[in-house]
Amino acid sequence: MNDTRRGWEHLAQMPDAKGHFGQYGGKYVSETLMGAISELESAYKHYLQEAEFLAEFDEDLKHYVGRPSPLYFAKRLTAQVGGAQIYLKREDLNHTGAHKINNTVGQALLAKRMGKPRVIAETGAGQHGVASATVAARLGLQCTVYMGEEDIRRQAINVYRMRLLGAEVVPVSSGSKTLKDALNEALRDWVTRVEETFYIIGTVAGPHPYPAMVRDFQSIIGREAKEQMLAQVGRLPDALVACVGGGSNSIGLFHPFVNDADVEMYGVEAAGEGVSTGHHAAPLCAGSPGVLHGNRTYVMQDEDGQIIETHSISAGLDYPGVGPEHAYWKDMHRAQYVAVTDQEALEAFHLLTRVEGILPALESSHAIAYATKLAAARSKDEIVLVNLSGRGDKDVHTVASLEGIEI
Amino acid sequence: MSRLDARFASLKEQGKRAFITFITAGDPEPKMTVSLLHHLVAEGADVLELGMPFSDPMADGPVVQKANERALAHHMGLSQVLQLVVQFRQQDKSTPIVLMGYLNPIECMGFEKFAAQANAAGVDGLIIVDMPPEEADEVIQVFEEHDLAPVFLLAPTSSDARIQRACELAKGFVYYVSLRGVTGAQVSDYQEIADQVAKIRKHTSLPVGVGFGIRDGATATAMGRHADALVVGSALVNCVEKYATDPHTMKQAMSQVMRDIRAAIDGLPALEK
């Protein structure tokens, strides 16, 4: 079936001129930020069409990030699962250990072009903070990273990495002291030092143009994967699987396939202790439309419209909102959104480590967990492509302490 | 004539500037809010701004953030905020009330339901911090149907085009944010206030309020010269925080802040007509 018949033909052209994906997206920020957002929008429109900028971005991805990342056939995992063939897109092999660097390289180049001497970022697990501090060090930019007090406690090694890279890490003690509060604090910083500061948002959320811009920078994942599939296997995969927190690694993999209507897409949210317990981070599966952090999207909220606290074993998925393009794709049924629990993710973490010798990030372990379920139900000539978005070294302490082991 | 327009007209008649005060509904606890509002009016507030608590107040500084957290600890939702306005209106039918907050709780309640209830409760205007003019079309129409004035923020970084657009949509007054930052921060450039307010006046005859940085008589004198109204929030919310368990002392502290600022406002040179 082609996408015209399914009503998907317009998806590749989103967002519209005002940054909307249907009813989602937009620019829901205070007037104090609108000047900065407009400035960024012009720069984004200009440079993402400019051959010189794109060439520099490609060079950096190749020589600094280490792209292209391999497409790897997980032979023993496939045999163990006993169904469809499982391929892994190895974003864990990028410099700094996750897909996050693709976007921070792009945004830092943009910051430089815009003449901003200072970048700021929010971080949950610390991966985006490390990726931001890394590119700031490389380009000689000042860097301040906001991180919830709770996350600073959980991710001490990443905090130290950021400081080694010359970044200032500012603890955030308001609200739930996690990623969403770090984002609030970064927005407050931006408003205060707006003219000199570039805010590197780590995911496909926030006000327009961030969801579109971060997607464009992360789409390298899907473009490569497509070429690699055709070169290595001679055809496109039947299904794509990626974890969804804010949604940048998943949109990065999915977007280049949006017009390939026969390629199914599965975004995997964090079910935490189980979606029915309320202790989860699955706004697409169990939330409702609302406005948070500059865009309309699915959010986790109570009956008064207050944003509620989330739970996931994985700090990178522990966020009550999600990128607006995913919200739209959910409503349009272009992708399906599912959730796996902490326990299932942990099992997948061990499984991949043991049978393939690859330690996945807990975020990516959610994708692995769902992919094994999906593959088990499919025939052996089908192909499931999973985005292995990050490596698990940062999670070794978490996993050990959950299992009562002291390191 | 709406309560807001009437209040500004009568102040203008007397050659006075408006003193707008902000506190958060339900802070430090719901049963104190109405009494605090009456107290502010008694000490010279001309217009009351009442904060609608939100879990993620991204344009607010630490003082107002904590006020939101204290109010939310008492489950202060929008319905409860509107209940407080109903109670206030039992004794005060003339002081305009402008609610200030963020979009999500309103959207969650439903624009139509919220606007109808707000109007019935005696609310006069709305400041929705994260709803700039470009996202406001649907909401503004609903507000208009229910006689609620949409008050828009303008900033030092607002372009001429944005000033014009906000002025076209605004009713009641226009709120100029005097600094680059969050509520309760410090202003460093007074000339910029004069310049931006002059630009705003080219596009509207509505009163122009200045806020986000006035905390005492001295800052009111320095920043208020070009404004029709001065907004004070964090300095009052500070009193609430400091004496949260001692309402009597809290009110005394607020009185002191109010008198200092009221005297400064009334001591400013008359506005050119």
Side-chain angles (χ1 to χ4, degrees):
Chain A
M1 201 190 292
N2 68 29
D3 37 318
T4 310
R5 270 182 287 155
R6 297 189 194 189
W8 292 341
E9 69 283 359
H10 67 296
L11 294 182
Q13 272 75 53
M14 304 295 265
D16 67 17
K18 290 172 83 180
H20 292 123
F21 301 87
Q23 65 158 316
Y24 304 107
K27 297 180 200 172
Y28 293 89
V29 294
S30 70
E31 181 64 26
T32 44
L33 274 180
M34 288 304 296
I37 301 270
S38 308
E39 187 191 357
L40 176 62
E41 195 180 352
S42 320
Y44 159 69
K45 277 189 192 151
H46 175 77
Y47 288 113
L48 273 87
Q49 310 289 332
E50 192 201 72
E52 197 187 324
F53 178 87
L54 293 172
E56 191 175 351
F57 180 51
D58 282 348
E59 277 295 286
D60 281 357
L61 289 181
K62 191 171 168 192
H63 298 294
Y64 189 65
V65 176
R67 304 202 71 91
S69 67
L71 177 74
Y72 169 73
F73 174 48
K75 197 171 168 186
R76 292 193 70 221
L77 180 66
T78 299
Q80 178 113 0
V81 169
Q85 303 158 49
I86 300 173
Y87 281 77
L88 305 177
K89 179 62 175 158
R90 297 289 308 276
E91 291 299 298
D92 60 316
L93 293 177
N94 292 339
H95 181 41
T96 71
H99 73 289
K100 292 288 185 191
I101 191 85
N102 302 326
N103 169 50
T104 58
V105 162
Q107 289 198 47
L109 287 179
L110 203 51
K112 198 85 181 172
R113 288 286 203 284
M114 292 169 72
K116 307 283 183 183
R118 174 175 188 262
V119 297
I120 57 170
E122 84 294 336
T123 197
Q127 290 305 102
H128 174 59
V130 167
S132 299
T134 298
V135 294
R138 176 168 176 256
L139 295 180
L141 301 167
Q142 254 187 70
C143 180
T144 300
V145 178
Y146 290 91
M147 188 167 183
E149 267 184 354
E150 186 59 29
D151 290 333
I152 284 186
R153 199 182 52 72
R154 292 192 285 198
Q155 300 287 344
I157 291 176
N158 271 344
V159 173
Y160 187 57
R161 282 172 83 188
M162 288 184 264
R163 290 186 173 140
L164 286 174
L165 289 159
E168 179 196 9
V169 180
V170 180
V172 176
S173 59
S174 57
S176 57
K177 305 177 176 56
T178 59
L179 178 57
K180 84 174 173 72
D181 309 285
L183 224 151
N184 290 333
E185 210 51 42
L187 286 167
R188 290 176 188 126
D189 174 310
W190 197 19
V191 137
T192 306
R193 299 177 67 179
V194 61
E195 274 111 347
E196 60 183 310
T197 303
F198 187 106
Y199 181 12
I200 304 184
I201 292 187
T203 192
V204 286
H208 179 68
Y210 283 102
M213 178 172 71
V214 176
R215 173 201 71 198
D216 290 350
F217 288 138
Q218 290 292 4
S219 292
I220 185 69
I221 302 171
R223 288 201 305 275
E224 279 178 12
K226 211 167 170 174
E227 269 179 36
Q228 291 165 321
M229 283 302 308
L230 292 174
Q232 290 173 226
V233 190
R235 69 177 185 90
L236 296 182
D238 298 284
L240 307 174
V241 180
C243 64
V244 180
S248 69
N249 90 78
S250 46
I251 214 81
L253 176 66
F254 294 174
H255 198 267
F257 291 89
V258 70
N259 286 333
D260 301 302
D262 292 330
V263 178
E264 301 165 43
M265 299 170 178
Y266 297 89
V268 187
E269 294 192 306
E273 293 165 13
V275 167
S276 61
T277 66
H279 298 137
H280 60 82
L284 287 166
C285 293
S288 53
V291 174
L292 178 67
H293 293 148
N295 65 104
R296 175 176 282 111
T297 185
Y298 280 81
V299 298
M300 289 179 49
Q301 55 186 328
D302 67 14
E303 67 281 4
D304 288 331
Q306 309 296 347
I307 305 305
I308 56 180
E309 286 184 27
T310 50
H311 169 85
S312 169
I313 190 177
S314 132
L317 302 182
D318 211 349
Y319 179 66
V322 65
E325 193 158 22
H326 285 295
Y328 189 58
W329 285 15
K330 172 189 161 73
D331 289 5
M332 297 299 293
H333 308 288
R334 179 59 188 97
Q336 292 186 56
Y337 295 91
V338 296
V340 310
T341 63
D342 288 351
Q343 190 54 40
E344 291 171 308
L346 263 179
E347 284 163 17
F349 173 91
H350 286 298
L351 176 65
L352 192 72
T353 304
R354 280 197 320 272
V355 304
E356 293 289 351
I358 298 173
L359 204 73
L362 283 174
E363 291 79 10
S364 321
S365 299
H366 286 71
I368 298 290
Y370 189 76
T372 57
K373 284 198 234 179
L374 186 69
R378 299 293 178 96
S379 76
K380 292 187 173 174
D381 47 5
E382 287 192 48
I383 296 175
V384 172
L385 168 57
V386 188
N387 196 8
L388 191 65
S389 56
R391 65 177 181 227
D393 305 50
K394 70 180 173 62
D395 296 313
V396 167
H397 272 89
T398 306
V399 173
S401 76
L402 278 168
E403 294 173 352
I405 297 160
E406 240 179 271
I407 297 178
Chain B
M1 193 186 268
S2 78
R3 250 189 301 256
L4 267 172
D5 295 341
R7 178 56 54 103
F8 279 113
S10 112
L11 287 167
K12 195 173 183 183
E13 191 86 352
Q14 303 164 54
K16 289 176 78 176
R17 291 175 174 79
F19 187 179
I20 305 180
T21 58
F22 171 93
I23 57 169
T24 297
D27 174 34
E29 46 185 318
K31 67 175 186 211
M32 285 186 63
T33 300
V34 172
S35 148
L36 289 178
L37 291 174
H38 288 308
H39 182 67
L40 292 170
V41 174
E43 291 291 356
D46 299 303
V47 175
L48 296 169
E49 222 183 83
L50 186 60
M52 302 177 276
F54 182 49
S55 51
D56 293 81
M58 61 189 191
D60 284 299
V63 172
V64 178
Q65 285 170 46
K66 280 187 237 152
N68 279 272
E69 287 176 18
R70 286 190 297 272
L72 287 173
H74 295 281
H75 304 287
M76 197 70 204
L78 279 190
S79 309
Q80 289 85 345
V81 174
L82 294 176
Q83 272 310 308
L84 295 177
V85 177
V86 169
Q87 280 178 48
F88 174 82
R89 280 274 173 258
Q90 288 167 0
Q91 283 176 56
D92 187 329
K93 307 243 185 283
S94 59
T95 307
I97 293 188
V98 176
L99 298 182
M100 178 166 184
Y102 295 80
L103 188 58
N104 198 56
I106 299 178
E107 181 166 315
C108 182
M109 188 179 198
F111 297 138
E112 175 63 35
K113 182 179 169 192
F114 169 77
Q117 289 189 13
N119 175 264
V123 172
D124 303 289
L126 261 309
I127 301 170
I128 305 176
V129 179
D130 55 351
M131 188 188 71
E134 42 271 84
E135 304 290 354
D137 293 350
E138 182 193 349
V139 182
I140 284 194
Q141 203 181 337
V142 177
F143 285 178
E144 266 179 22
E145 285 160 17
H146 295 279
D147 295 324
L148 296 168
V151 176
F152 285 97
L153 302 177
L154 286 168
T157 47
S158 300
S159 63
D160 272 342
R162 298 194 57 77
I163 292 175
Q164 183 177 355
R165 179 74 185 131
C167 288
E168 282 164 11
L169 298 173
K171 292 216 164 75
F173 65 101
V174 173
Y175 189 143
Y176 178 66
V177 175
S178 57
L179 49 78
R180 288 160 181 72
V182 292
T183 52
Q186 283 193 29
V187 173
S188 57
D189 188 348
Y190 297 125
Q191 184 55 43
E192 187 176 59
I193 299 176
D195 295 344
Q196 282 291 85
V197 170
K199 273 193 207 167
I200 294 169
R201 291 199 193 279
K202 284 187 200 154
H203 296 287
T204 184
S205 55
L206 287 174
V208 179
V210 170
F212 273 51
I214 302 172
R215 61 182 180 281
D216 53 21
T219 46
T221 303
M223 293 166 56
R225 184 175 299 262
H226 306 280
D228 302 295
L230 287 81
V231 188
V232 177
S234 298
L236 295 167
V237 176
N238 257 329
C239 302
V240 178
E241 176 174 2
K242 201 166 169 190
Y243 304 107
T245 55
D246 179 0
H248 181 71
T249 315
M250 184 196 301
K251 283 183 180 171
Q252 277 184 332
M254 286 173 125
S255 297
Q256 216 169 351
V257 173
M258 293 290 296
R259 285 168 200 174
D260 183 27
I261 296 174
R262 181 82 254 182
I265 294 177
D266 294 339
L268 284 166
L271 272 173
E272 287 169 35
K273 295 262 164 139

